[in-house]
Amino acid sequence: MSKLLGLTTVSFISVSSSMIITSGVNAQQALYLAYPPKNHQTTADQIFLIGTASPQGNVTVNGQTIQRSNQGHFAPSFPLKLGVNRFVLRHNNKTINVTVTRNSVTPNIPQGGGFADNSLSPNQSISVLPNTPVCFSAIASPNAQVSVNIANQTIPLLPQPDLVELPANSAILTDSNEPIIKSITSYQGCKKFNTIGNLGKPNFQLQLKNKTIAQRGEGTVDILNPNQLKIVEIVSDAGVARTGPSTNHSRLTPLPKGTIVSVIGQEGEWLHLDYGAWIKENETTIIPNLSSAKATIRSAKFEKNNEETKVIFPLTLPVPVSINQMGNKVTLTLYNTTAETDTIRLEYDPLIKSFYWQQVSPDKIEYYFELNPDQQWGYDLNYEGTNLVFTLRHPPKIESQNSQPLNNIKILLDPGHGGDEWGAKGPNGYPEKSVNLVVSQLLKQELLKRGATVYMTRETDKDVSLQDRVTMINKIKPDIALSIHYNALPDNGDAINTAGIGMFWYHPQAEDLSKFLHDYLVEKANRPSYGVFWNNLALTRPHTSPSVLLELGFMINPTEFEWITNAQQQKNLATILANGITEWFSQIQ
């Protein structure tokens, strides 16, 4: 997983067809800096310098001798002051100069008073229902009087307590996710409007020491007519629903293609849907002349075969849905739906232990499934016309033999990155994409020995998009999908002292596999633990199979990189990982 951005292009030793990294990976070389690149910019308060040199002689940074691994790799961290920071690296007769600029994260308020750049909110056109609070905010000079004028109304914006911000999601990777308190003055005020129509752009005004500064907002405010709401249909295969109007907000259950829903607001390109979620406008199309996006339902039908159970919900309209998994229980929620249900014929064996439902509010229904196995094996959710089809996969039928304990088990391996996507880079520039492929190929051979059927998203060094990898998982529907990666850190990480095995999962059906493989590798391979993470990653999000992303070590850790690129250790790791997969399947039967 590449968390090192802006790396310079370097040459590297390719992996031979025999899957063994050539000795050139570990060859001694002159002073080389893999990270940061020239003229790097960051907001972090420190930076690591990752590189290598011949073990003979010392490497100094600004005259200070730094720690190195046995093979000469290094990754020391240095504090950064705001502005330009210069580092001079020397080894024998070679010198490398690197400049790192630390940018401030505090908004810049003009001297003499005014609004901070890009701080006026809303910063794009919005639309809301009548009597919905519209909030305006700005960052500006302290001790000022700030207001907004819109639709012939003046709304005072009052100074707020110290601004509390949350760090980026990546902060959890360096255990630095505490809230950040900024001593800057933000002003905020909210107002409800009941006049339908476009209110125009807000005018922000600041008064300070007999000085008045005015600035017009970027977007308009529009109050919708609740009797003429836009109704849209989801046109993408899985509409990305979120908790708010940006990609910073968390994902909700994707909306199946064909879902029909009313729009109760908009911020820029984001539509606010009537059941609470937000979605990008380009994933929808307007349905003209449709007067309502409400549905009714009466019964449900169960269909099963050897591999899956389908539950079919006939609706009068395709409505938004959500899925919640927990242990051996699944809750399916239908929004904008009212039940007229008297009878449902149930099918229990071999998957479903019990089933019941409840109209939890006048327009929301929850269907509850309790499954016989504790482990869930994947699901699918789609519309066929106005029928919602909810498919639950059955446990695999392991036809274990003494020499082939994974007989009849389908496993998909995804060697991360490839082609132009290099991933993280080690101290000597060796790319993650290559070791991902080496270890995946070794693991494939070990799994084949144990009787598994193994699929690979790539067998060579080629570009494979994230969507193509996900599509392959959804098409093949393996019993498990494993994405093989090696790790790096954000700029403020500690590259020397961070190492070990990390596991990442998204759907609860993959949690047990993640924990098991993490603990197994830490113990059997005698590796440090980086931890088990819930993480919203493209290769953990597939729900048709338990999907786990493995981070098997840190490319940027000088000592661990030596272990990562050791051919014998790669073989040992593949054997141990295959043993762990085998044991996990045996203990869940």
Side-chain angles (χ1 to χ4, degrees):
M1 178 187 295
S2 176
K3 300 184 183 72
L4 297 182
L5 304 179
L7 286 168
T8 54
T9 301
V10 296
S11 60
F12 62 95
I13 306 299
S14 62
V15 181
S16 69
S17 59
S18 63
M19 300 179 296
I20 298 176
I21 296 179
T22 66
S23 60
V25 171
N26 298 322
Q28 297 179 9
Q29 61 184 47
L31 181 62
Y32 171 80
L33 186 67
Y35 189 84
K38 292 182 178 180
N39 303 317
H40 181 59
Q41 297 195 25
T42 182
T43 58
D45 60 2
Q46 68 177 36
I47 192 72
F48 37 56
L49 306 180
I50 300 171
T52 193
S54 166
Q56 284 71 44
N58 294 326
V59 173
T60 63
V61 177
N62 292 349
Q64 173 186 346
T65 300
I66 60 173
Q67 172 187 342
R68 295 201 287 155
S69 70
N70 291 335
Q71 294 177 7
H73 309 316
F74 56 82
S77 291
F78 294 92
L80 295 175
K81 68 179 191 301
L82 287 173
V84 176
N85 299 260
R86 291 183 171 85
F87 301 94
V88 179
L89 290 77
R90 288 193 172 91
H91 174 257
N92 296 337
N93 61 349
K94 183 166 183 181
T95 299
I96 294 177
N97 294 283
V98 62
T99 298
V100 178
T101 301
R102 178 186 171 191
N103 297 319
S104 175
V105 294
T106 302
N108 180 37
I109 298 174
Q111 289 187 353
F115 295 106
D117 291 341
N118 303 314
S119 73
L120 303 186
S121 180
N123 58 6
Q124 56 191 341
S125 293
I126 67 170
S127 58
V128 299
L129 290 173
N131 295 312
T132 300
V134 177
C135 293
F136 304 90
S137 64
I139 295 173
S141 306
N143 304 315
Q145 288 185 320
V146 180
S147 62
V148 162
N149 185 273
I150 188 170
N152 298 320
Q153 298 185 57
T154 299
I155 304 155
L157 305 188
L158 302 179
Q160 305 298 300
D162 285 342
L163 185 64
V164 178
E165 291 188 352
L166 297 177
N169 276 294
S170 59
I172 191 62
L173 302 174
T174 56
D175 197 23
S176 56
N177 63 329
E178 290 296 318
I180 301 168
I181 299 177
K182 295 183 178 181
S183 297
I184 58 177
T185 305
S186 63
Y187 297 83
Q188 187 178 76
C190 300
K191 176 72 175 179
K192 295 179 181 179
F193 300 93
N194 55 22
T195 301
I196 294 173
N198 194 307
L199 307 184
K201 293 183 177 181
N203 287 303
F204 290 79
Q205 189 173 83
L206 178 148
Q207 292 181 327
L208 180 66
K209 297 179 180 179
N210 299 320
K211 180 180 179 181
T212 300
I213 297 173
Q215 188 170 332
R216 185 178 292 273
E218 292 295 325
T220 60
V221 176
D222 191 53
I223 308 303
L224 299 174
N225 185 338
N227 298 316
Q228 297 178 2
L229 294 179
K230 182 166 57 177
I231 296 178
V232 298
E233 178 181 353
I234 306 302
V235 294
S236 56
D237 288 336
V240 181
R242 294 186 181 271
T243 56
S246 78
T247 55
N248 290 331
H249 289 83
S250 296
R251 289 173 178 251
L252 300 168
T253 300
L255 296 177
K257 186 175 184 177
T259 300
I260 294 174
V261 60
S262 295
V263 177
I264 60 171
Q266 186 164 355
E267 292 194 19
E269 62 179 344
W270 291 88
L271 303 182
H272 193 190
L273 307 181
D274 61 4
Y275 80 106
W278 295 76
I279 193 169
K280 278 190 174 181
E281 188 173 19
N282 63 7
E283 295 195 64
T284 70
T285 187
I286 295 175
I287 303 178
N289 304 323
L290 188 64
S291 59
S292 173
K294 305 293 184 182
T296 56
I297 187 170
R298 288 183 177 167
S299 188
K301 182 170 65 173
F302 289 71
E303 295 180 356
K304 63 180 180 180
N305 56 37
N306 290 332
E307 296 182 351
E308 59 192 20
T309 294
K310 290 185 177 182
V311 189
I312 302 170
F313 300 90
L315 292 150
T316 57
L317 195 80
V319 295
V321 295
S322 66
I323 292 288
N324 180 41
Q325 294 178 295
M326 183 173 292
N328 68 333
K329 296 180 173 63
V330 187
T331 302
L332 169 65
T333 302
L334 274 60
Y335 300 92
N336 302 335
T337 306
T338 303
E340 298 176 352
T341 302
D342 285 332
T343 304
I344 299 176
R345 179 178 176 176
L346 304 177
E347 294 281 352
Y348 293 104
D349 292 331
L351 183 67
I352 297 173
K353 181 178 181 181
S354 66
F355 167 87
Y356 63 102
W357 70 277
Q358 181 180 8
Q359 182 95 44
V360 295
S361 69
D363 62 352
K364 184 170 75 171
I365 304 174
E366 290 183 348
Y367 295 92
Y368 310 98
F369 300 83
E370 184 178 3
L371 309 181
N372 281 308
D374 291 332
Q375 171 65 40
Q376 296 187 41
W377 293 95
Y379 69 87
D380 208 352
L381 198 62
N382 65 285
Y383 276 109
E384 295 178 359
T386 62
N387 287 337
L388 177 65
V389 182
F390 179 42
T391 304
L392 288 161
R393 294 185 59 197
H394 293 180
K397 296 179 181 179
I398 302 178
E399 300 173 357
S400 178
Q401 303 172 7
N402 289 337
S403 61
Q404 293 193 318
L406 295 179
N407 195 40
N408 201 45
I409 295 297
K410 295 191 298 183
I411 298 174
L412 182 141
L413 300 180
D414 170 51
H417 307 289
D420 292 336
E421 293 291 333
W422 284 31
K425 296 184 179 71
N428 61 5
Y430 188 76
E432 178 198 349
K433 66 172 183 175
S434 294
V435 69
N436 290 343
L437 184 57
V438 169
V439 172
S440 295
Q441 289 172 328
L442 291 168
L443 176 58
K444 174 184 177 180
Q445 296 307 314
E446 291 295 327
L447 293 171
L448 290 173
K449 291 178 187 177
R450 291 159 176 77
T453 301
V454 183
Y455 303 87
M456 299 269 285
T457 59
R458 66 181 181 98
E459 298 269 10
T460 60
D461 181 21
K462 67 176 184 179
D463 289 299
V464 183
S465 72
L466 292 176
Q467 185 55 54
D468 285 345
R469 297 169 198 255
V470 171
T471 298
M472 190 172 178
I473 293 173
N474 292 334
K475 181 179 179 180
I476 294 171
K477 296 181 180 177
D479 297 307
I480 61 173
L482 304 178
S483 188
I484 306 299
H485 288 257
Y486 286 83
N487 222 337
L489 288 170
D491 282 345
N492 65 338
D494 183 351
I496 291 179
N497 296 308
T498 306
I501 303 296
M503 294 286 163
F504 296 79
W505 61 274
Y506 183 78
H507 295 288
Q509 63 195 19
E511 181 179 11
D512 186 74
L513 176 60
S514 296
K515 292 189 295 185
F516 185 90
L517 292 181
H518 169 271
D519 294 347
Y520 194 91
L521 289 177
V522 167
E523 178 185 355
K524 302 296 184 181
N526 192 28
R527 300 308 301 164
S529 166
Y530 181 55
V532 179
F533 297 78
W534 180 94
N535 206 330
N536 171 24
L537 298 167
L539 270 301
T540 59
R541 287 198 300 268
H543 50 72
T544 51
S545 304
S547 302
V548 176
L549 188 143
L550 295 75
E551 297 280 5
L552 297 173
F554 279 80
M555 296 288 288
I556 61 176
N557 181 295
T559 303
E560 190 159 53
F561 179 70
E562 295 182 6
W563 173 80
I564 289 170
T565 53
N566 182 288
Q568 186 57 52
Q569 295 295 343
Q570 292 168 353
K571 292 180 181 178
N572 293 341
L573 177 63
T575 300
I576 293 170
L577 184 51
N579 289 340
I581 293 167
T582 303
E583 188 166 328
W584 182 76
F585 273 102
S586 68
Q587 59 95 30
I588 60 172
Q589 296 302 302

